[in-house]
Amino acid sequence: MTTDPAVHTGRTALGPFPPAAPRNPDAPHVTAAMIDVDAGQVQGPLARIWESFGYDEFNWTYMPTGKRLLQTFADFSGAGYFVRPHYMYCSGSGFGIPHWSSGNVYHEDADGNPYYDFTLLDQAYDAIVGAGHHLLVELGFTPRDLLPPEAAELTVVPSPTAYTNYEAGAWAYPPNDYAKWAGLISATVRHSIERYGEAEVKTWLWELWNEPDIFYWRGTLDQYNELYTVTVQAIRDVLPEAKVGGPAVTSGGLNFLRGFLDYTSSRDEPLDFISYHTKGCHFPTRDYKPFAEPAAEQLSPSSTKMLYDVREFNRLIGSYEAYADLPVIVDECDAAVPAHFGRYDNRNYSFQNTEYYPVFQAKLMKKILDLNDTEPAKVAYATSWSFYFEAERYFEGTRSFLTAGGIEKPFLNAYRMLSLLGPDRLRATSNAAWHVGELDETDGSSMPEEVDALASRSNDGTVAVLLWRHIDDQYQTSDDLTPVTVIVRNLPAGSYRLRHLRIDADHSNSFTTWQSLGSPQDPTPEQLTKITSHQRLDECEPDRHLTADGDVTLDVTLPLPSASLLILEPAR
């Protein structure tokens, strides 16, 4: 076996994008827009690429709040999401903290014989499967009893707040015995089938490791490739129909992905899906400033950077004839990194509390679908690396669906809106939209202000139009509402009920409600009632009935940022 000790130094930033998007206070606003939807022109199935999320804190899966959040997703979606937690094989106490957790599965006796304890894994998987979801099993990382000798070289400065060598990253070294690793994999698959049934486990996706192009893997590309072969064989020996893949590289890992695909294609290794990650920005590290002070520099995510990443990765995948039709999973697809940083770390993370973020996410999902229409390789799932954090302050600003007290943040309402779209995608155009073809001429700028839409049709004839006004610059504001004319053509004649749901500063927004009450960190029961009354989707206007005879024109005004969901439901 050959090794490449420089594998982690060959990472490549894609495109001319900065780490975070700077301000452009002079950027023009969209002053009017027209959206044209053809209810008679189905473009094909609406791929539900958003139905996946993941998180670092494996042990919070089965905490009461985690179980309730899993059930919330199941309740509003009516379908199972793919759920991807980190650290399932790490040794530890089972006490989760931000960015660390442990499944504590693998152990060896005094003679070096392996044995397994699936107690914590069972609790997590029971919660996920019990809520109707499926596992995207991230097989990682190295248990303490499988550390190689070189792991001892990783040192930490002793202090009351420092992890041991193992928690600090020794878990990232390749296992010292690939045969024992294979035994652990086989035992996990076998145990899962016994507990959840073969039919359920056949739906799961089995992925080796996480971000092996950076510090999550302290080995080489060759070592990773060899471990992939061992892992897949161990899985398939127990469940021949299991879906296997990887390598879940970062957006700088294009060369690592190429090396992996060269390896698998040349050896005809099993590969059922290909995964990678993209992030919209990485702000400077913690500011250590008074909390009332603004960020040292006002920065924002860049959705264009993320879309550029997706396009370049998918073009690489599409260049392999054998892989062009494989599902692509962007199993960390997020506006900013890391997940556990919030507004007290750097004020630029404040957008993760506000209406900006759900609209950003809806916009991003639509643009990825547009890329699917133009590129040979297509995204099957775009995973939000978001869950919740124990022991937070109210509206900490971390990348999460809940804040303290289990209050649902505006971000969750993006997923509620998306869940209400039907199974068929309709043709929809906007004269004020940014188009993915503009990536051909990108200068690294983030996405300007736009008004765009995603439309669908259900089997019962319901037409849903999700439209938004958004700009990547989170600090760009406007006192003016943008008038939008929505024309829905070729509706079957009849009566329709129109529902209008809205996310903005005044609707579907627990955060602004909390602010209006003085931002209490110990809210009273009465205050909590007011806050939670706006944590779910709000109506922008009362339902009304209208009659269609082919075409319907709807007039909407959009603040910046905002999203509206217009649902035209045939009257019964």
Side-chain angles (χ1 to χ4, degrees):
M1 180 184 69
T2 60
T3 60
D4 176 12
V7 66
H8 293 163
T9 64
R11 303 180 68 244
T12 303
L14 302 182
F17 298 95
R23 286 241 44 209
N24 183 10
D26 299 323
H29 292 295
V30 175
T31 57
M34 179 174 290
I35 291 171
D36 191 294
V37 177
D38 191 337
Q41 186 174 340
V42 174
Q43 292 184 318
L46 177 57
R48 309 187 87 75
I49 62 174
W50 52 83
E51 291 185 345
S52 177
F53 60 88
Y55 43 93
D56 297 272
E57 298 78 19
F58 173 89
N59 304 107
W60 294 350
T61 306
Y62 48 83
M63 296 293 283
T65 301
K67 292 170 74 172
R68 285 195 294 269
L69 181 53
L70 288 166
Q71 191 61 53
T72 295
F73 270 97
D75 290 344
F76 71 65
S77 69
Y81 275 53
F82 277 101
V83 182
R84 178 185 184 255
H86 272 346
Y87 300 116
M88 63 177 282
Y89 283 152
C90 282
S91 305
S93 66
F95 186 79
I97 60 175
H99 217 302
W100 173 252
S101 50
S102 53
N104 202 43
V105 174
Y106 182 89
H107 307 273
E108 293 183 3
D109 64 20
D111 296 322
N113 299 308
Y115 64 100
Y116 314 111
D117 180 3
F118 290 107
T119 301
L120 299 180
L121 201 73
D122 288 348
Q123 292 181 60
Y125 287 8
D126 285 358
I128 293 169
V129 176
H133 304 298
H134 309 291
L135 268 300
L136 201 173
V137 185
E138 180 199 293
L139 296 164
F141 302 106
T142 301
R144 193 180 186 95
D145 285 345
L146 282 180
L147 291 181
E150 56 267 30
E153 299 171 5
L154 181 68
T155 59
V156 295
V157 177
S159 83
T161 57
Y163 294 143
T164 68
N165 157 284
Y166 181 74
E167 287 87 357
W171 47 263
Y173 284 91
N176 62 21
D177 188 319
Y178 280 16
K180 288 182 176 179
W181 172 267
L184 170 61
I185 299 298
S186 297
T188 302
V189 179
R190 191 175 297 110
H191 178 82
S192 298
I193 292 171
E194 291 170 355
R195 192 169 185 87
Y196 306 108
E198 187 171 301
E200 169 60 28
V201 178
K202 281 182 179 179
T203 69
W204 296 6
L205 303 173
W206 298 84
E207 176 185 61
L208 176 61
W209 225 257
N210 174 71
E211 298 184 349
D213 58 306
I214 60 171
F215 56 81
Y216 279 94
W217 177 252
R218 297 180 185 271
T220 65
L221 172 61
D222 287 341
Q223 287 173 306
Y224 177 86
N225 288 340
E226 182 182 356
L227 189 63
Y228 181 81
T229 296
V230 169
T231 302
V232 168
Q233 183 175 335
I235 295 170
R236 289 284 184 88
D237 283 350
V238 178
L239 185 63
E241 301 91 346
K243 300 172 184 176
V244 296
V249 293
T250 71
S251 58
L254 193 70
N255 291 333
F256 194 104
L257 176 61
R258 182 182 288 109
F260 172 72
L261 296 181
D262 286 346
Y263 173 84
T264 55
S265 60
S266 66
R267 294 168 50 96
D268 197 25
E269 292 283 347
L271 189 63
D272 298 305
F273 65 90
I274 299 169
S275 57
Y276 60 83
H277 300 164
T278 181
K279 307 291 182 179
C281 63
H282 185 194
F283 301 131
T285 53
R286 290 185 172 99
D287 271 348
Y288 296 108
K289 298 171 62 176
F291 298 144
E293 290 188 16
E297 181 183 4
Q298 292 183 330
L299 299 169
S300 297
S302 172
S303 58
T304 45
K305 183 266 182 191
M306 299 178 70
L307 294 165
Y308 192 93
D309 288 348
V310 170
R311 193 183 72 166
E312 295 309 295
F313 272 92
N314 284 6
R315 286 183 174 179
L316 171 63
I317 294 166
S319 70
Y320 293 81
E321 184 176 355
Y323 298 151
D325 294 329
L326 284 187
V328 171
I329 302 180
V330 191
D331 52 15
E332 291 187 29
C333 188
D334 303 294
V337 66
H340 62 296
F341 273 25
R343 66 171 306 274
Y344 298 102
D345 301 294
N346 185 302
R347 253 49 89 217
N348 288 307
Y349 288 104
S350 296
F351 78 87
Q352 295 180 143
N353 281 330
T354 74
E355 65 277 7
Y356 171 98
Y357 197 15
V359 186
F360 179 101
Q361 198 74 352
K363 175 181 77 171
L364 179 66
M365 294 299 110
K366 190 267 184 182
K367 306 301 185 185
I368 292 175
L369 290 172
D370 289 347
L371 282 176
N372 279 356
D373 292 338
T374 64
E375 301 301 320
K378 303 184 189 307
V379 173
Y381 292 99
T383 302
S384 175
W385 200 253
S386 310
F387 198 46
Y388 83 102
F389 290 89
E390 292 278 350
E392 274 196 335
R393 289 163 284 195
Y394 280 87
F395 295 98
E396 188 89 16
T398 53
R399 198 172 70 230
S400 56
F401 295 111
L402 305 178
T403 188
I407 293 173
E408 298 172 0
K409 294 165 65 174
F411 185 47
L412 186 57
N413 284 323
Y415 289 83
R416 283 196 169 92
M417 277 193 171
L418 291 164
S419 74
L420 293 171
L421 295 174
D424 295 324
R425 185 177 180 184
L426 296 177
R427 187 196 68 82
T429 60
S430 169
N431 67 355
W434 179 93
H435 300 283
V436 294
E438 296 180 52
L439 291 172
D440 291 333
E441 306 296 331
T442 185
D443 62 358
S445 299
S446 59
M447 195 178 296
E449 187 174 322
E450 69 152 14
V451 171
D452 200 3
L454 177 63
S456 72
R457 189 180 70 186
S458 301
N459 295 334
D460 65 357
T462 296
V463 171
V465 184
L466 175 56
L467 62 149
W468 56 85
R469 180 187 177 195
H470 196 268
I471 185 172
D472 278 356
D473 183 352
Q474 65 170 308
Y475 297 101
Q476 183 74 293
T477 60
S478 174
D479 294 329
D480 298 324
L481 302 177
T482 294
V484 182
T485 300
V486 181
I487 302 174
V488 183
R489 305 186 188 278
N490 297 316
L491 271 175
S495 297
Y496 290 82
R497 172 195 178 205
L498 174 65
R499 298 175 63 200
H500 182 182
L501 304 172
R502 168 67 65 82
I503 302 172
D504 61 22
D506 299 321
H507 299 86
S508 313
N509 201 321
S510 58
F511 174 63
T512 51
T513 306
W514 174 75
Q515 285 184 310
S516 73
L517 297 171
S519 305
Q521 283 298 336
D522 186 17
T524 65
E526 293 77 14
Q527 289 174 324
L528 284 173
T529 297
K530 290 181 181 178
I531 295 167
T532 56
S533 70
H534 290 288
Q535 70 179 1
R536 301 195 175 186
L537 286 177
D538 288 337
E539 292 183 344
C540 187
E541 57 181 311
D543 292 359
R544 56 190 172 97
H545 288 80
L546 51 86
T547 301
D549 188 13
D551 297 350
V552 167
T553 299
L554 306 172
D555 293 315
V556 179
T557 55
L558 296 177
L560 178 69
S562 64
S564 278
L565 180 63
L566 305 176
I567 302 175
L568 284 163
E569 183 180 286
R572 299 290 179 254

Coordinates of all heavy atoms in Angstrom, one line a residue, residues 317-362:
I317 N -18.4 14.3 -11.1 CA -19.0 13.0 -11.0 C -19.6 12.6 -12.4 O -19.4 11.5 -12.8 CB -20.2 13.1 -10.0 CG1 -19.6 13.3 -8.6 CG2 -21.0 11.8 -10.0 CD1 -20.6 13.7 -7.5
G318 N -20.1 13.6 -13.1 CA -20.7 13.3 -14.4 C -19.7 12.9 -15.5 O -20.0 12.3 -16.5
S319 N -18.4 13.2 -15.2 CA -17.3 12.9 -16.2 C -17.0 11.4 -16.1 O -16.3 10.9 -17.0 CB -16.1 13.7 -15.9 OG -15.5 13.3 -14.7
Y320 N -17.5 10.7 -15.1 CA -17.3 9.2 -15.0 C -18.6 8.6 -15.5 O -19.6 8.7 -14.9 CB -17.1 8.8 -13.5 CG -15.8 9.3 -12.9 CD1 -15.6 10.6 -12.4 CD2 -14.7 8.4 -12.8 CE1 -14.4 11.0 -11.9 CE2 -13.5 8.8 -12.3 CZ -13.4 10.1 -11.8 OH -12.2 10.5 -11.2
E321 N -18.4 8.0 -16.7 CA -19.6 7.4 -17.4 C -20.4 6.5 -16.4 O -21.7 6.5 -16.4 CB -19.2 6.7 -18.6 CG -20.4 6.2 -19.4 CD -19.9 5.5 -20.7 OE1 -18.7 5.5 -21.1 OE2 -20.8 5.0 -21.5
A322 N -19.7 5.7 -15.6 CA -20.4 4.8 -14.8 C -21.2 5.4 -13.6 O -22.0 4.8 -13.0 CB -19.4 3.8 -14.2
Y323 N -20.8 6.7 -13.3 CA -21.4 7.3 -12.2 C -22.3 8.5 -12.5 O -22.9 9.0 -11.5 CB -20.2 7.8 -11.3 CG -19.3 6.8 -10.7 CD1 -18.0 7.0 -10.5 CD2 -19.8 5.5 -10.5 CE1 -17.1 6.1 -9.9 CE2 -18.9 4.5 -10.0 CZ -17.6 4.8 -9.7 OH -16.8 3.8 -9.2
A324 N -22.5 8.8 -13.7 CA -23.3 10.0 -14.1 C -24.7 9.9 -13.6 O -25.3 10.9 -13.3 CB -23.3 10.2 -15.6
D325 N -25.2 8.7 -13.5 CA -26.6 8.5 -13.1 C -26.8 8.2 -11.6 O -27.9 7.9 -11.1 CB -27.3 7.4 -13.9 CG -27.4 7.8 -15.4 OD1 -27.6 9.1 -15.6 OD2 -27.4 7.0 -16.2
L326 N -25.7 8.1 -10.9 CA -25.8 7.8 -9.4 C -26.4 9.0 -8.7 O -26.1 10.1 -9.0 CB -24.4 7.5 -8.8 CG -23.8 6.1 -9.1 CD1 -22.6 5.9 -8.3 CD2 -24.8 5.0 -8.9
P327 N -27.2 8.7 -7.6 CA -27.7 9.8 -6.7 C -26.5 10.5 -6.1 O -25.5 9.9 -5.6 CB -28.5 9.1 -5.7 CG -28.8 7.7 -6.3 CD -27.7 7.4 -7.2
V328 N -26.6 11.8 -6.1 CA -25.6 12.7 -5.4 C -26.2 13.2 -4.1 O -27.4 13.6 -4.1 CB -25.2 13.8 -6.3 CG1 -24.3 14.8 -5.5 CG2 -24.4 13.4 -7.5
I329 N -25.5 13.0 -3.0 CA -26.0 13.5 -1.7 C -25.1 14.6 -1.2 O -23.9 14.3 -0.9 CB -26.2 12.4 -0.7 CG1 -27.1 11.3 -1.3 CG2 -26.7 12.9 0.6 CD1 -27.3 10.1 -0.4
V330 N -25.6 15.8 -1.1 CA -24.8 16.9 -0.4 C -25.2 16.9 1.0 O -26.1 17.6 1.5 CB -25.2 18.2 -1.1 CG1 -24.2 19.3 -0.6 CG2 -25.1 18.1 -2.6
D331 N -24.5 16.0 1.8 CA -25.1 15.7 3.1 C -24.6 16.6 4.2 O -24.8 16.2 5.4 CB -25.0 14.2 3.5 CG -23.6 13.6 3.3 OD1 -22.6 14.3 3.2 OD2 -23.5 12.3 3.4
E332 N -24.0 17.7 3.8 CA -24.0 18.9 4.7 C -24.1 20.0 3.7 O -23.2 20.2 2.8 CB -22.7 19.0 5.5 CG -22.6 17.9 6.6 CD -21.4 18.1 7.5 OE1 -21.0 19.3 7.7 OE2 -20.9 17.1 8.0
C333 N -25.2 20.8 3.7 CA -25.5 21.8 2.7 C -26.0 23.0 3.5 O -27.2 23.2 3.7 CB -26.5 21.3 1.7 SG -26.8 22.3 0.3
D334 N -25.1 23.9 3.9 CA -25.5 24.9 4.9 C -24.9 26.3 4.6 O -23.8 26.4 4.1 CB -24.9 24.5 6.3 CG -25.5 23.1 6.7 OD1 -26.7 23.0 6.9 OD2 -24.7 22.2 6.7
A335 N -25.6 27.3 5.0 CA -25.3 28.7 4.8 C -24.0 29.1 5.5 O -23.2 29.9 4.9 CB -26.4 29.6 5.2
A336 N -23.7 28.5 6.6 CA -22.5 28.9 7.4 C -22.0 27.7 8.2 O -22.7 26.7 8.4 CB -22.8 30.1 8.3
V337 N -20.7 27.8 8.6 CA -20.1 26.8 9.4 C -19.3 27.5 10.5 O -18.8 28.6 10.3 CB -19.2 25.9 8.5 CG1 -18.1 26.6 7.9 CG2 -18.8 24.6 9.2
P338 N -19.2 26.9 11.7 CA -19.7 25.6 12.2 C -21.1 25.8 12.8 O -21.6 26.9 13.1 CB -18.7 25.3 13.3 CG -18.3 26.6 13.9 CD -18.2 27.5 12.7
A339 N -21.7 24.6 13.0 CA -23.1 24.7 13.5 C -23.3 25.2 14.9 O -24.3 25.8 15.2 CB -23.7 23.2 13.4
H340 N -22.3 25.0 15.7 CA -22.5 25.3 17.1 C -22.0 26.8 17.4 O -22.1 27.2 18.6 CB -21.7 24.4 18.0 CG -20.2 24.4 17.8 ND1 -19.6 24.0 16.6 CD2 -19.2 24.7 18.6 CE1 -18.3 24.1 16.7 NE2 -18.0 24.5 17.9
F341 N -21.6 27.6 16.4 CA -21.4 29.0 16.6 C -22.6 29.8 16.5 O -23.4 29.5 15.5 CB -20.3 29.5 15.7 CG -18.9 29.3 16.1 CD1 -18.6 28.3 17.0 CD2 -17.9 30.1 15.6 CE1 -17.3 28.1 17.4 CE2 -16.6 29.9 16.0 CZ -16.2 28.9 16.9
G342 N -22.8 30.8 17.3 CA -24.0 31.6 17.3 C -23.6 33.1 17.4 O -22.5 33.5 17.3
R343 N -24.6 33.9 17.7 CA -24.4 35.3 17.6 C -23.5 35.8 18.7 O -22.9 36.9 18.6 CB -25.8 36.1 17.7 CG -26.5 35.9 19.0 CD -27.8 36.8 19.1 NE -27.4 38.2 18.9 CZ -27.0 39.0 19.8 NH1 -26.8 38.6 21.0 NH2 -26.7 40.3 19.5
Y344 N -23.4 35.1 19.8 CA -22.4 35.5 20.9 C -21.0 35.2 20.5 O -20.1 35.8 21.1 CB -22.8 34.8 22.2 CG -24.2 35.2 22.7 CD1 -25.2 34.3 22.5 CD2 -24.4 36.4 23.3 CE1 -26.5 34.6 23.0 CE2 -25.7 36.7 23.7 CZ -26.7 35.8 23.6 OH -28.0 36.1 24.0
D345 N -20.8 34.4 19.5 CA -19.4 34.1 19.0 C -19.0 35.1 18.0 O -17.9 35.6 18.0 CB -19.4 32.7 18.4 CG -19.7 31.6 19.4 OD1 -19.0 31.4 20.4 OD2 -20.8 31.0 19.2
N346 N -19.9 35.4 17.1 CA -19.7 36.4 16.0 C -21.1 36.9 15.6 O -21.9 36.1 15.2 CB -18.9 35.7 14.9 CG -18.6 36.7 13.8 OD1 -19.4 37.4 13.2 ND2 -17.3 36.8 13.5
R347 N -21.3 38.2 15.6 CA -22.6 38.7 15.4 C -23.1 38.4 14.0 O -24.3 38.4 13.7 CB -22.6 40.2 15.6 CG -23.3 40.7 16.8 CD -22.9 40.0 18.1 NE -21.7 40.6 18.8 CZ -20.8 40.0 19.4 NH1 -20.8 38.7 19.5 NH2 -19.8 40.6 20.0
N348 N -22.2 38.0 13.1 CA -22.7 37.7 11.7 C -23.6 36.4 11.7 O -24.3 36.2 10.7 CB -21.5 37.5 10.8 CG -20.9 38.8 10.4 OD1 -21.5 39.7 9.9 ND2 -19.6 38.9 10.6
Y349 N -23.5 35.6 12.7 CA -24.3 34.4 12.8 C -25.8 34.7 13.2 O -26.6 33.8 13.2 CB -23.7 33.4 13.8 CG -22.5 32.7 13.3 CD1 -21.2 33.1 13.8 CD2 -22.5 31.7 12.3 CE1 -20.1 32.4 13.4 CE2 -21.4 31.1 11.9 CZ -20.1 31.5 12.4 OH -19.0 30.8 12.0
S350 N -26.1 36.0 13.4 CA -27.4 36.3 13.9 C -28.5 35.9 12.9 O -29.6 35.7 13.2 CB -27.5 37.8 14.1 OG -26.6 38.2 15.2
F351 N -28.1 35.8 11.6 CA -29.2 35.5 10.6 C -29.8 34.1 10.9 O -30.9 33.8 10.4 CB -28.5 35.5 9.2 CG -27.7 34.3 8.8 CD1 -28.3 33.1 8.3 CD2 -26.3 34.2 9.0 CE1 -27.5 32.0 8.0 CE2 -25.6 33.1 8.7 CZ -26.2 32.0 8.2
Q352 N -29.1 33.3 11.6 CA -29.7 31.9 11.9 C -30.9 32.0 12.9 O -31.5 31.0 13.1 CB -28.6 31.0 12.4 CG -27.5 30.8 11.4 CD -26.3 29.9 11.8 OE1 -25.8 29.1 11.0 NE2 -25.9 30.0 13.0
N353 N -31.2 33.2 13.4 CA -32.4 33.4 14.2 C -33.5 33.9 13.4 O -34.7 33.8 13.8 CB -32.1 34.4 15.3 CG -31.4 33.8 16.5 OD1 -31.5 32.6 16.8 ND2 -30.6 34.6 17.2
T354 N -33.3 34.5 12.3 CA -34.2 35.4 11.6 C -34.9 34.8 10.4 O -34.6 33.7 10.0 CB -33.5 36.7 11.2 OG1 -32.7 36.4 10.0 CG2 -32.6 37.3 12.3
E355 N -35.8 35.6 9.9 CA -36.5 35.2 8.7 C -35.6 35.1 7.5 O -36.0 34.5 6.4 CB -37.7 36.2 8.4 CG -37.3 37.6 8.0 CD -37.0 38.5 9.2 OE1 -37.0 38.0 10.4 OE2 -36.7 39.7 9.0
Y356 N -34.4 35.7 7.5 CA -33.5 35.6 6.4 C -33.2 34.1 6.1 O -33.1 33.7 4.9 CB -32.2 36.3 6.8 CG -31.0 36.1 5.9 CD1 -30.7 37.0 4.9 CD2 -30.2 34.9 6.0 CE1 -29.6 36.8 4.1 CE2 -29.1 34.8 5.1 CZ -28.8 35.7 4.2 OH -27.8 35.5 3.3
Y357 N -33.0 33.3 7.1 CA -32.5 31.9 6.9 C -33.5 31.0 6.2 O -33.1 30.3 5.3 CB -32.0 31.4 8.2 CG -31.1 30.2 8.1 CD1 -30.5 29.8 6.9 CD2 -30.8 29.4 9.2 CE1 -29.6 28.7 6.8 CE2 -29.9 28.3 9.1 CZ -29.4 28.0 7.9 OH -28.5 26.9 7.8
P358 N -34.7 31.0 6.7 CA -35.7 30.1 6.0 C -35.8 30.5 4.5 O -36.0 29.6 3.6 CB -37.0 30.2 6.8 CG -36.8 31.5 7.6 CD -35.4 31.6 7.8
V359 N -35.8 31.8 4.2 CA -36.0 32.2 2.8 C -34.7 31.8 2.0 O -34.8 31.3 0.9 CB -36.3 33.7 2.7 CG1 -36.6 34.1 1.3 CG2 -37.5 34.1 3.6
F360 N -33.6 32.0 2.6 CA -32.3 31.5 2.0 C -32.4 30.0 1.6 O -32.0 29.6 0.5 CB -31.1 31.8 2.9 CG -29.8 31.3 2.4 CD1 -28.9 32.3 1.9 CD2 -29.4 30.0 2.5 CE1 -27.6 31.9 1.4 CE2 -28.1 29.6 2.0 CZ -27.3 30.6 1.5
Q361 N -32.9 29.2 2.6 CA -32.9 27.8 2.3 C -33.9 27.4 1.3 O -33.6 26.5 0.4 CB -33.3 27.1 3.7 CG -32.9 25.6 3.7 CD -31.4 25.4 3.8 OE1 -30.6 26.3 3.7 NE2 -31.0 24.1 4.0
A362 N -35.1 28.0 1.2 CA -36.0 27.7 0.2 C -35.4 28.1 -1.2 O -35.6 27.3 -2.2 CB -37.3 28.5 0.4

